[in-house]
Amino acid sequence: MICTTMVYIMSCYNVALIEGFSANIFLHAILGFPAAFVFALIVDIFVVGKIVGRIALNL
């Protein structure tokens, strides 16, 4: 749920930076959401998860 929320909010933020604030922010963010979510989930599981796991074991 955290990854989903983070990806959607960051997508809205990036669309707002590119296009400015308008009513289309949420629509454009939803259109780009599936690809961004899959990428973020893969990176979270295979890259960040391993690094954090090692750090947690050392603490």
Side-chain angles (χ1 to χ4, degrees):
M1 287 180 64
I2 292 172
C3 183
T4 304
T5 306
M6 181 187 68
V7 168
Y8 182 70
I9 290 172
M10 291 179 72
S11 295
C12 290
Y13 176 71
N14 287 332
V15 170
L17 285 177
I18 293 170
E19 295 182 3
F21 289 100
S22 68
N24 292 330
I25 291 174
F26 303 110
L27 176 64
H28 289 288
I30 287 175
L31 292 176
F33 178 77
F37 176 71
V38 169
F39 179 77
L41 189 63
I42 289 171
V43 170
D44 186 32
I45 291 172
F46 294 111
V47 177
V48 177
K50 291 183 180 189
I51 294 170
V52 170
R54 290 180 190 153
I55 292 171
L57 288 175
N58 289 333
L59 293 176

